[in-house]
Amino acid sequence: MGDAPLPNPVIVLAFFREIPPAFREAIQNKFPDANLEALVLQRGEPIPTDVSRKATVIVTFTNLPTPEDAAHIKVIHFLSAGLDHLIHHPVLTQTSIPVTTSSGIHGPPIAEWTIMNWLVASKKYARSYENQKTHTWGSHDAYMDGLHDQVGKKVGILGYGSIGRQIGRVCAAMGMTVHAYTASPRTTPASRRDPGYIVPGTGDKDGTVPVSWHHGTDRASLHAFLALGLDHVVVCLPLTPQTTHMLGADEFALLSARRRTPHIAPYLTNISRGKVIDQAALLASLASGELRGAALDVTDPEPLPGDHPLWEAPNVQISPHVSGLGEEYFPRSLDILRENLGRLERGEALINEYKRGKGY
Amino acid sequence: MGDAPLPNPVIVLAFFREIPPAFREAIQNKFPDANLEALVLQRGEPIPTDVSRKATVIVTFTNLPTPEDAAHIKVIHFLSAGLDHLIHHPVLTQTSIPVTTSSGIHGPPIAEWTIMNWLVASKKYARSYENQKTHTWGSHDAYMDGLHDQVGKKVGILGYGSIGRQIGRVCAAMGMTVHAYTASPRTTPASRRDPGYIVPGTGDKDGTVPVSWHHGTDRASLHAFLALGLDHVVVCLPLTPQTTHMLGADEFALLSARRRTPHIAPYLTNISRGKVIDQAALLASLASGELRGAALDVTDPEPLPGDHPLWEAPNVQISPHVSGLGEEYFPRSLDILRENLGRLERGEALINEYKRGKGY
């Protein structure tokens, strides 16, 4: 690339539904020199040859070109944070075209989803909500007993990436203590930094929020972490063979046995993938009271069938894999792409570049 | 008082219902040398003469002795943050017995109540809640449009005391910018400090959270503040003649006209007293869309009658004056009393002492 300016980018945006005119206009404003082509494709459907061959930039969740059609493509930008669904695609395994993700943009909305669910549970929001429907002014007594706040609570965050960091940041502001768990050791200040995209004004760039760091990929390391006396465990891990069913009956029993507060059992939050949790074990631990409750944005399978017992499990709050969504989603993702087009032109390392072979 | 130790305190706890044994035990553990007497009294009912005359410490929401019966009382500790209901009581106007409040303990639960309500509204929590009842996995499209997060939002906090400070602290962590409004000027670092009790790990002791400070007691000052382009206004003011109906039709129109984001109208939060707001004007502004919604823990009157239109006003979330409540309420309030009994014994200035004549 060097000093020669790139030609005007030809951005192909492959999406699963028609893009609203206002959104198209917003994209064009973000890339005033670009030729923008928007395609509506089914999930996983290849990008047609004639479109791929003239594209220089692909923006997509699941639609990719063949390697043969990708000769002019400078970067493939994913609208998702993870690529576990596509890491075996030929354009990833047979080319070296830079691939970037939207990792980092999910921190604020998912942190808000997490905190919202905790507070809805700990403050029994449904009581006020239902009372309002019937115009009922509740009694004070009902709000003194069994309600507690988050000050002093200990939260263990499994996977301290951009999402875990924003959750941790808000937790610290709420008076909680944050404990981080990562796969590889983070013993130096440099290793604790967040190298990826961070939504301005959020996150934990330098990794100063956690009061303790822990790591490992084996059961013993995980169990040592779960024995810290946690009030909350939040799952922010990518789904890999190692993390599949990482939390099950043994882990819930351990969490519960080592709880910090005798009368408040630990609370589980999963914003990662349903299969990280052994869902049958979760159902049992909720039923027994070993766990106080769970906020689940992801389930196994999805959509969760209407007759699945998880819908009625005690103190479970389920949402349909939407914790990262909202109006800010696309503008933030395209901010990353814009930053990287500048870096490509200047011959600099990209942010949020997918490292082939690491599996996430 | 000087160097002589105080005799063992005789603590009279006047409350409106029977105190659970576990709670009584917790108090006794906090004050192992005290003789503790618990009374059940109606709201505002005087403390009986025989009890008052032997008491050295009164702990209460609304029950007070006569000045004649208060000869041995060293301190009256209120379980509430404000005293607007009792400032004309003879024991306050005719004696100089130190009076302390529980100001400061409400920060964490009320901040959590506030953030919970914002997120429930901005993320349309009721949709997931209702869908779960019918075992329905919602569509993603419904979570992209009209949902937004709090990053970059501007919040104006009217009354930057302990509650406003904890709200501000969490807002900043969420990526919001905080603007503070106080009655008197806070132009020096010393004047921006919180001199009262702060729940450990929370608050904004040094007043470093706000990006701008504003002050005044007249309409022009208030209007200048409301014209900052705010996404949120939070009312944390004490109720005084000056603050009664401080926010009405003119203020809501101004807020709306100067909104920061064209398609997101300002959101109102009231955790103070219902009468700070002109409720008829609020109803009109909610109906017209001038305000996006409101989280109201307080109403005018309370309880809100079953046929009151506020129950069904668009995008209103009502709770029955409970935002500060929870299991931590009494332990935290008694932490203040314990601190002050030590200060009395050492002849030091008390924390959270009510300044007679200031009206709050």
Side-chain angles (χ1 to χ4, degrees), chain B residues 240-255:
Chain B
T240 66
Q242 289 75 37
T243 64
T244 301
H245 283 204
M246 184 171 165
L247 296 179
D250 291 350
E251 289 70 31
F252 300 141
L254 176 62
L255 267 174

Side-chain angles (χ1 to χ4, degrees), chain B residues 175-242:
Chain B
M176 306 170 75
T177 54
V178 176
H179 303 263
Y181 188 86
T182 56
S184 52
R186 305 291 180 99
T187 49
T188 63
S191 68
R192 291 181 179 177
R193 285 173 65 88
D194 182 349
Y197 175 76
I198 301 175
V199 176
T202 72
D204 179 22
K205 173 86 182 162
D206 293 325
T208 55
V209 162
V211 298
S212 74
W213 290 76
H214 308 261
H215 70 274
T217 51
D218 58 359
R219 288 279 148 187
S221 304
L222 175 65
H223 286 189
F225 183 72
L226 299 177
L228 286 176
L230 301 173
D231 298 287
H232 285 279
V233 172
V234 186
V235 182
C236 305
L237 297 160
L239 181 68
T240 66
Q242 289 75 37

Side-chain angles (χ1 to χ4, degrees), chain A residues 129-130 133 135 173 306 312, chain B residues 129-130 133 135 169 306 312:
Chain A
Y129 173 80
E130 297 290 354
K133 286 185 184 176
H135 300 195
E312 298 288 343
Chain B
Y129 174 80
E130 296 291 353
K133 286 185 184 176
H135 300 194
R169 178 190 175 100
E312 299 287 342

Side-chain angles (χ1 to χ4, degrees), chain A residues 148-206:
Chain A
H148 59 86
D149 59 38
Q150 302 294 334
V151 177
K153 299 284 185 294
K154 287 175 76 168
V155 53
I157 301 181
L158 293 170
Y160 200 65
S162 58
I163 295 167
R165 284 167 195 258
Q166 179 57 13
I167 293 171
R169 178 190 175 99
V170 180
C171 287
M174 292 169 74
M176 307 170 74
T177 54
V178 175
H179 302 264
Y181 188 86
T182 57
S184 52
R186 306 290 180 99
T187 50
T188 64
S191 68
R192 291 180 178 177
R193 285 173 65 88
D194 182 350
Y197 176 76
I198 301 174
V199 175
T202 72
D204 179 22
K205 174 84 182 162
D206 294 325

